[in-house]
Amino acid sequence: MDERQWIHAIQKGDKQYLKDIVEKYYDDIFRFCAFQSGSGEDAYDLAQETFLKFIRYVEGYRYRNLKGYLLTVAMNLCRDYLTEKGKRGEREISYDQNVSGENGTEGDSLWEIYRPPEEFSGAEEASPEAKSVESDVYGRLTKLLSELPQIQREALILHYMYDMKYREIAKLTGVTVSTVKSRVKQGTEKLRGRMEKEDFLDG
């Protein structure tokens, strides 16, 4: 069954497929919340709340892009979180959380700014030492991202880490395409500057 069939089955009362949806998208939602909040613990809570909200309103779900819908819910929760806390991810993420992803070095990504050696790319056979370095790299990247304005960090995460096109981000965030392009450009320049200042590019 594909995810559309899962949704239809759930809406008819067969809740067993909720588990399949959570398993399919949990890592994506958790990583988004982690990069937004800068906290592994808070990211866990935000990811849980995202799926609870989806489950609560699944009967009225009518969207075609489930991942986009879940990211929208997570994005709004993260915005509320940052507003209520009055901060922009001041705490570093807990390194024991899985925030690296498996495709960090592929395609147009933040790794075009900093591309680590292949052995740190998250491959399943990576050594413990390589995984430790990878975790440190992502932790440092998370800290640098947390220093950006929230709207720029949000745009960078969606565009680079989730391969979303400008028009998709514009629809998701409710702004114009030109605004998204500006946020990505400015955020990239600021992030690159912080990387250079912290000698991150030589790490």
Side-chain angles (χ1 to χ4, degrees), residues 3-33:
E3 63 183 38
R4 185 175 298 182
Q5 291 173 311
W6 289 347
I7 295 294
H8 288 162
I10 292 168
Q11 290 174 335
K12 290 179 180 179
D14 193 346
K15 304 299 185 182
Q16 65 173 313
Y17 295 105
L18 286 169
K19 180 180 179 181
D20 295 296
I21 290 174
V22 174
E23 289 180 349
K24 182 175 181 180
Y25 291 112
Y26 182 83
D27 285 349
D28 283 325
I29 300 305
F30 174 82
R31 280 193 291 269
F32 177 83
C33 294

Side-chain angles (χ1 to χ4, degrees), residues 140-156:
R140 293 168 65 196
L141 179 59
T142 300
K143 183 178 184 298
L144 293 176
L145 279 169
S146 74
E147 297 170 0
L148 299 178
Q150 183 266 327
I151 57 176
Q152 293 176 4
R153 179 172 66 251
E154 185 179 86
L156 286 181

Side-chain angles (χ1 to χ4, degrees), residues 65 108 154-173 175-177 180-181 184:
N65 183 351
D108 178 23
E154 185 179 86
L156 286 181
I157 294 169
L158 292 173
H159 180 61
Y160 290 124
M161 297 180 178
Y162 291 87
D163 297 322
M164 296 184 70
K165 300 183 184 301
Y166 293 133
R167 58 180 174 76
E168 294 175 322
I169 299 173
K171 183 177 181 180
L172 193 70
T173 57
V175 299
T176 65
V177 172
V180 173
K181 289 181 179 179
V184 171

Side-chain angles (χ1 to χ4, degrees), residues 2 27-28 42 52 67 80 124 128 167 174 179 187-188 196:
D2 59 26
D27 285 349
D28 283 325
D42 290 342
L52 287 174
K67 182 177 178 180
D80 291 342
E124 293 183 1
R167 58 180 174 76
T179 297
T188 300
E196 292 173 348

